[in-house]
């Protein structure tokens, strides 16, 4: 079911550079489409980047889950992407996405969980602060990506995959690693060239220029569990399910 109240829609065009080694659309490209559409919608609703910056606040993504209904291969050249915000649940704010093909078939769904943080104190904004400006005719249309996430803690069953130093091109305008880049950090821990059925990212700590990240992985059949650590501290976790 698609949203009927407050939502935004975008026609997404795909090019050869948008596909990966599996001939499937890159998960990072999907996240870029969603990030741009959410930014546009937030601006229209009055709580976009400029408003937040002027009020000493900023958005922080906490979790993202993308579920593909089928592999989106090179014969898929465009799709329509819908997004809509859900009424806040205390300190957490959900935004949902659904992509549909030219025949109206569902291609993938995504749920993202966000927090609003005070720029100076780095504390999560209070419910009272959120209620002052985060208002809309919220739509509760469901998507196929629930808000249940894999609980991942590294133990001795994980193997070291690789090490990465954060560079300039990993950063965004907030001077930390953009959330879309973590998808590639997770995928680079995998062997093989299979397509992605589902991917979850949970963001624990921000990464900045010069940080050294160690990536660990555990495989169980078609599933992979990934942990990224800086100085032994978990920065992100990821669950990936292959087709």
């Amino acid at each position: 079911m698609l949203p009927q109240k407050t939502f935004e829609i975008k026609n997404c065009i795909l090019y050869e550079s948008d596909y990966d080694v599996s001939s499937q659309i890159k998960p990072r490209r999907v996240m870029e489409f969603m990030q741009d559409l959410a930014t546009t919608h937030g601006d229209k609703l009055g709580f976009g980047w400029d408003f937040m910056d002027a009020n000493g606040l900023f958005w922080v993504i906490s979790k993202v889950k993308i579920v593909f209904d089928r592999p989106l291969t090179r014969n898929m050249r465009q799709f329509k992407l819908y997004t809509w915000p859900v009424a806040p649940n205390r300190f957490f704010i959900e935004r949902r996405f659904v992509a549909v093909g030219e025949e109206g078939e569902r291609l993938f769904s995504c749920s993202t969980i966000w927090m609003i943080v005070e720029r100076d104190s780095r504390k999560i904004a209070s419910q009272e602060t959120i209620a002052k400006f985060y208002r809309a005719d919220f739509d509760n249309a469901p998507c196929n990506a629930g808000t249940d996430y894999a609980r991942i803690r590294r133990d001795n069953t994980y193997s070291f995959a690789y090490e990465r130093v954060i560079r300039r091109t990993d950063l965004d305008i907030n001077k930390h690693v953009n959330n879309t880049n973590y998808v590639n950090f997770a995928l680079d821990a995998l062997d093989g060239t299979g397509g992605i059925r589902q991917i979850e990212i949970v963001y624990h700590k921000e990464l900045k220029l010069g940080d050294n990240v160690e990536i660990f992985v555990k495989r169980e059949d078609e599933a992979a569990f990934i942990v990224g650590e800086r100085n032994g501290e978990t920065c992100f976790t990821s669950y990936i399910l292959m087709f």
Side-chain angles (χ1 to χ4, degrees), residues 37-239:
L37 184 57
T39 299
T40 298
H41 199 203
D43 288 338
K44 288 184 177 181
L45 293 175
F47 39 76
W49 192 91
D50 289 336
F51 171 85
M52 303 291 278
D53 185 59
N55 287 272
L57 303 168
F58 61 93
W59 290 100
V60 173
I61 191 167
S62 175
K63 301 176 181 180
V64 57
K65 177 191 287 188
I66 308 171
V67 178
F68 293 94
D69 291 87
R70 60 183 178 84
L72 302 187
T73 53
R74 291 175 59 243
N75 61 347
M76 173 66 62
R77 290 299 180 172
Q78 63 180 339
F79 60 85
K80 288 184 179 179
L81 183 62
Y82 292 79
T83 187
W84 62 101
V86 179
N89 178 15
R90 299 190 67 190
F91 306 109
F92 297 97
I93 297 171
E94 183 183 1
R95 175 174 282 275
R96 297 172 181 169
F97 300 82
V98 167
V100 298
E102 296 182 76
E103 302 300 322
E105 73 279 18
R106 190 179 62 196
L107 303 176
F108 66 83
S109 302
C110 177
S111 173
T112 57
I113 307 297
W114 298 78
M115 297 179 295
I116 297 173
V117 174
E118 297 175 351
R119 183 177 55 218
D120 295 334
S121 69
R122 289 309 212 223
K123 293 181 178 179
I124 298 173
S126 67
Q127 291 178 268
E128 291 75 17
T129 297
I130 295 171
K132 288 179 182 178
F133 68 89
Y134 192 75
R135 294 186 296 270
D137 189 10
F138 294 111
D139 197 304
N140 200 38
C143 71
N144 198 35
T147 55
D148 53 321
Y149 286 78
R151 293 193 173 187
I152 300 175
R153 291 186 179 179
R154 185 171 74 86
D155 55 27
N156 58 11
T157 64
Y158 282 73
S159 300
F160 175 76
Y162 72 97
E163 189 173 317
R164 181 187 178 93
V165 177
I166 301 304
R167 301 300 189 192
R168 176 190 175 99
T169 55
D170 296 317
L171 308 180
D172 59 20
I173 60 175
N174 293 314
K175 296 183 175 60
H176 62 196
V177 174
N178 186 266
N179 68 85
T180 63
N181 286 330
Y182 288 82
V183 173
N184 282 354
F185 294 173
L187 290 174
D188 282 342
L190 304 183
D191 296 324
T193 59
I196 306 301
R197 179 187 301 174
Q198 178 176 322
I199 185 165
E200 302 175 9
I201 303 283
V202 177
Y203 305 89
H204 295 271
K205 300 287 184 180
E206 66 179 347
L207 291 170
K208 296 183 177 181
L209 185 67
D211 282 344
N212 190 74
V213 188
E214 293 182 311
I215 311 295
F216 300 86
V217 63
K218 177 173 69 173
R219 290 297 302 264
E220 292 183 357
D221 298 323
E222 300 304 312
F225 304 83
I226 295 105
V227 176
E229 296 182 356
R230 177 191 56 207
N231 298 325
E233 183 179 42
T234 298
C235 298
F236 75 93
T237 57
S238 178
Y239 170 76

